[in-house]
Amino acid sequence: MTHTTGAIRTPDQRLRVFVSSTLKELAVERKYARLAVERLHLAPVMFELGARPHPPRQLYRAYLEQSDVFVGIYAEKYGWVAPGETVSGLEDEYNLAPDFPKLIYVRDPAPHREARLVDLLARVRDDDRASFKTFSTPQELRKLLEADLATLLAERFDQSRPVPLETNPIVLGERSSALPAALTQLIGREGELDDVAALLRKDSIRLVTLLGSGGIGKTRIALEVAGRAGALPDIEVTFVDLSSVQDAALVPNAIAEALGVLDTGDEPVLDKLKTALSTRQMLIVLDNFEQILPAAPILTTLLASAPDVKFLVTSRSLLRVSGEHAVEVGPLGLPDPARSLNPRGAMTSAAVALFVERARAVKPDFEATPDNVDAIAAICVALDGVPLALELAAARIRMLPPAAILARLDRRLSLLSGGPRDLPLRQQALRSTIEWSTQLLGDDEKNLLARLGVFAGGFSLDAVETVAGDDPDADTMTALGALVDNSLVRELDRGDLPYYSMLATVREYALEQLEATGQLTDARAAHATYYVGLAAALEDELEGTRQREVIALLNDDRDNLRAAARYLLDSKEMVAVAQFTWCLLIYWWVGGLLGEVRAWMDEVLETDGIPDRTRAIALYFSRSILLWHEANDRVVPGLAESVELFRRIDDRVGEGFALIFLALAVVADKNPDTERAETSLRRSVELLRGAGYRWGESMALVTLGRLALMQDAVPDAIGRFQESLTLTRQGHDDLGTTVALQHLGWARFANGQTVDSRILFEESLETAAHIGHAEGVVYGLEGLTAIAAASRQLRRAGRLLHAADDLRKQTGLYGANRFSFHERYLAPILAGNDAEALDKVRTEGEALSIDEAVVYALHSE
């Protein structure tokens, strides 16, 4: 049997770790071993996980054939020897894995170890290809196995980091700020690149605007500049697409989202941004700023609070704020009309080079030749060297030669030259080219392009089919394909899901056409209908095995969700917007969007005559979000009214949720009423359990446990948290599991069970990182800080606390959750005899990235 040991398999073929041991005797140890393997995102291969119809020996031999690492766990039993065999299955498994890396763990003490197992272990100990260690508890086994597998991955398989937590980096807030991939070569922009780079190198210049008309290539230049800056040490780069932002007041939210700063509703997002950026060295690219120019002073405010941050802005207009330095982006260089052209000479023109390069994308064998070079040059001149216009024209090469394109282009441009005279000539050329491109489309394609203008950001195929309208004769798939072929719609990489986008300039044109034909309101209504339906369809899946996948899906559509809510609010469809918001309750929490949701619900509450259920939902969101950050006179009455309204309409889930927050509110009041809180929570558990709503019941149980901890009833708290954890595990709910694990971890810590507490915090931290839940990561790091400090591991405690502090600042969580009871356990440790030494590491130690902090917390002593 050959066995490759030189490379890690791809994620769909993960490394397989075969676990060999007796089953009943070491059942608990096998569970801990499985947990260790899965923590490293490897695949455990275990007899009890397989297909039972096969004979046992055939099954484990087949498993061994497919495995990469052998783990042997031994205690006292040698195992059963089948009739006709000379060795037990346990020894047979070891014999069949001669070439595997072997990790052997022997429980000690084992006073009744059988003689044949003693002989086997003596042979194993002498095998220089096997690692041999002893352990005493299942927890110790898990730690040893995790560490050894990590080392094995680092050394044998040449991984750059010892523990690959995820295939992709951890992205908290679930919105990547990484630069979009540049899909094409940048041609003819060396001058602009040099000018921008020279400005950004100067410490005194911190705001640079790339200025130019639509389609001129500002974004592509900005990406190139940012990519080069990101390659430098100690420079963070973030990209913020503002094309879907129409309200200047929401610019801080868009920047916060890209940075992973969560809008938890406790204070203005702008203030959170100031804190998050205050100590970071960063270049932030703000793309498509022209439609929100009134937001420009926000940039100077942020720059004043963040001395090492710079902004690179793309805009069609100057921002006109102090400190702005502009670099104008002009058209690409055109061929000299006074010189005779040959293909080689023409290609020295950036415009010609770009046209040919884009033409090859649709027709790989396309070349500039003596026969077509004059037509190519004329196309470039007619389009004024505007890159997007050249790209749209080049998309036609698949069907038309350059001369035919030129003939049609000349005819269209001459007809359209009487367009808006207040537009710059270059922008008229682009606008005319977009319209020329659409004139070559059929009616179905034109209609679909216009209706796609209602999307904010990208969109799925399902969404396209809804927004396209209900014309039974329209072939939406064919029409969409034509738009993609003509570069008016772009296909994005979202794995197996078809996903698309439009450039801001094309979307702007599409919206104009939609409004001109009187379809805008209908298209916006169809858009909102789709996303309301999507929210309803995904509500239950936000709690189960697809939780992470669904959150990622919703993140892709975040701008469209906002647009749908905005349409419903503007249309006074308060019942629909409340239900839409209610369906995505878990998503708003994980995504850090509760501040925006609260603002929506405040609008709902200002509306007269809304139904009881709508008012109940709006009060729940508005008051519960306030509750986490400041007790005030509106919270308890508002939540009490929400409870009563839900009860009146017999909405048990709604009443149960509202009771949870009412309990928290009365405990946080100036005169805490713990009796009322406990009564509310017990009623909440009863309602949610009766409704079969496992996630809600688990949250109610956690809150009952919190109340018990506040009253120092630690055993009661442990029982409640354990009940909650059982429910969330049954439902495969990562978010609920994270919450339950963290609370159980603190309760175990308060009960003196430090080892168990550490295991719980470690699992909660990894689960929170897995789903991108920043708040959960912070609490996991702080829990492990307490464990380390209690064990006098001061350097570890200081580094973990430093990481938690940084993460709170970066994500806007520094003031979040005024019920963070963990502080009552952490504060005395931080203020004890080791406070000075711990604080020194905390303030002077090396900063860790989020990825590094999670890896360090889970896999370093």
Side-chain angles (χ1 to χ4, degrees), residues 393-408:
R396 285 289 169 182
I397 282 293
R398 180 183 298 164
M399 296 174 291
L400 300 172
I405 290 176
L406 179 62
R408 288 162 174 76

Side-chain angles (χ1 to χ4, degrees), residues 2 7 25 80 82 97 145 166 211 281 298 408 420 433 442 836 850:
T2 60
E25 177 195 21
W80 179 61
L145 181 53
E166 287 290 340
L211 186 66
Q281 189 171 356
I298 292 172
R408 288 162 174 76
T433 309
E836 184 176 347
I850 295 172

Side-chain angles (χ1 to χ4, degrees), residues 113-410:
R113 186 168 291 143
E114 294 177 354
R116 292 201 66 178
L117 180 58
V118 171
D119 294 339
L120 172 61
L121 292 180
R123 181 161 67 89
V124 171
R125 188 180 287 108
D126 293 337
D127 186 345
D128 60 7
R129 294 166 297 180
S131 165
F132 191 100
K133 294 182 178 180
T134 60
F135 70 93
S136 57
T137 66
Q139 293 87 348
E140 184 184 4
L141 169 66
R142 198 201 77 183
K143 283 187 179 182
L144 290 172
L145 181 53
E146 277 189 23
D148 291 344
L149 283 172
T151 301
L152 185 64
L153 290 173
E155 296 178 357
R156 189 175 184 92
F157 296 100
D158 194 27
Q159 289 288 73
S160 60
R161 287 172 67 166
V163 184
L165 279 175
E166 287 290 340
T167 303
N168 299 315
I170 296 166
V171 179
L172 299 175
E174 284 297 318
R175 177 59 64 98
S176 173
S177 59
L179 296 176
L183 302 178
T184 57
Q185 178 184 358
L186 183 62
I187 295 173
R189 293 302 190 183
E190 291 77 11
E192 290 91 340
L193 290 172
D194 290 343
D195 290 345
V196 175
L199 289 172
L200 290 175
R201 277 196 295 268
K202 297 179 180 179
D203 292 339
S204 59
I205 296 177
R206 301 176 57 212
L207 173 58
V208 177
T209 301
L210 283 167
L211 186 66
S213 60
I216 203 68
K218 303 182 295 296
T219 300
R220 185 64 183 84
I221 296 171
L223 289 174
E224 187 71 21
V225 171
R228 295 180 183 184
L232 300 174
D234 303 322
I235 297 290
E236 291 183 79
V237 177
T238 292
F239 181 86
V240 186
D241 181 4
L242 297 171
S243 61
S244 63
V245 180
Q246 301 299 319
D247 184 351
L250 294 179
V251 169
N253 299 73
I255 299 174
E257 186 178 316
L259 291 169
V261 176
L262 305 180
D263 179 11
T264 51
D266 55 328
E267 65 174 299
V269 175
L270 184 60
D271 291 343
K272 289 177 175 283
L273 280 175
K274 292 177 184 177
T275 302
L277 293 173
S278 60
T279 59
R280 297 171 81 168
Q281 189 171 356
M282 176 174 282
L283 174 65
I284 301 176
V285 178
L286 302 176
D287 195 33
N288 295 295
F289 207 90
E290 55 275 347
Q291 78 278 6
I292 32 98
L293 289 173
I298 292 172
L299 306 188
T300 57
T301 299
L302 290 173
L303 290 174
S305 303
D308 293 319
V309 169
K310 297 190 177 191
F311 285 112
L312 176 59
V313 180
T314 73
S315 177
R316 299 183 202 174
S317 304
L318 284 168
L319 276 56
R320 301 191 184 282
V321 293
S322 59
E324 179 183 21
H325 289 72
V327 173
E328 185 166 359
V329 180
L332 293 172
L334 296 169
D336 186 351
R339 299 176 58 186
S340 60
L341 292 175
N342 59 64
R344 185 172 182 180
M347 289 293 287
T348 62
S349 156
V352 171
L354 179 69
F355 181 89
V356 172
E357 192 262 350
R358 298 298 190 268
R360 286 173 179 160
V362 296
K363 191 178 183 194
D365 61 348
F366 180 79
E367 296 288 348
T369 68
D371 293 333
N372 66 21
V373 68
D374 289 333
I376 292 173
I379 291 170
C380 295
V381 171
L383 298 179
D384 200 27
V386 176
L388 180 55
L390 293 168
E391 182 173 330
L392 292 172
R396 285 289 169 182
I397 282 293
R398 180 183 298 164
M399 296 174 291
L400 300 172
I405 290 176
L406 179 62
R408 288 162 174 76
L409 191 61
D410 277 345

Side-chain angles (χ1 to χ4, degrees), residues 126 138 205 283 374 386 388 452 467 477 533 550 604 650 702 715 719 753 788 803:
D126 293 337
I205 296 177
L283 174 65
D374 289 333
V386 176
L388 180 55
L452 294 182
V467 169
M477 281 293 296
V550 170
V604 173
D650 196 30
V702 159
Q753 297 167 284

Side-chain angles (χ1 to χ4, degrees), residues 423-501:
L423 288 178
L425 288 175
R426 289 195 295 274
Q427 200 156 335
Q428 289 186 46
L430 172 62
R431 183 184 182 83
S432 299
T433 309
I434 294 174
E435 184 144 350
W436 168 77
S437 297
T438 65
Q439 294 302 318
L440 295 171
L441 299 172
D443 290 342
D444 286 353
E445 288 91 345
K446 291 179 187 177
N447 183 65
L448 180 60
L449 178 66
R451 294 182 74 91
L452 294 182
V454 298
F455 286 107
F459 42 90
S460 68
L461 180 58
D462 287 345
V464 171
E465 290 175 331
T466 299
V467 169
D470 54 6
D471 183 353
D473 296 324
D475 186 345
T476 301
M477 281 293 296
T478 300
L480 182 61
L483 297 179
V484 171
D485 288 344
N486 285 278
S487 298
L488 292 164
V489 171
R490 300 189 172 195
E491 191 168 5
L492 303 178
D493 182 11
R494 290 292 187 277
D496 295 333
L497 296 175
Y499 208 76
Y500 305 89
S501 71

Side-chain angles (χ1 to χ4, degrees), residues 344 514 519 598 842:
R344 185 172 182 180
L514 196 59
Q519 298 184 67
R598 173 183 151 195
R842 177 184 186 179

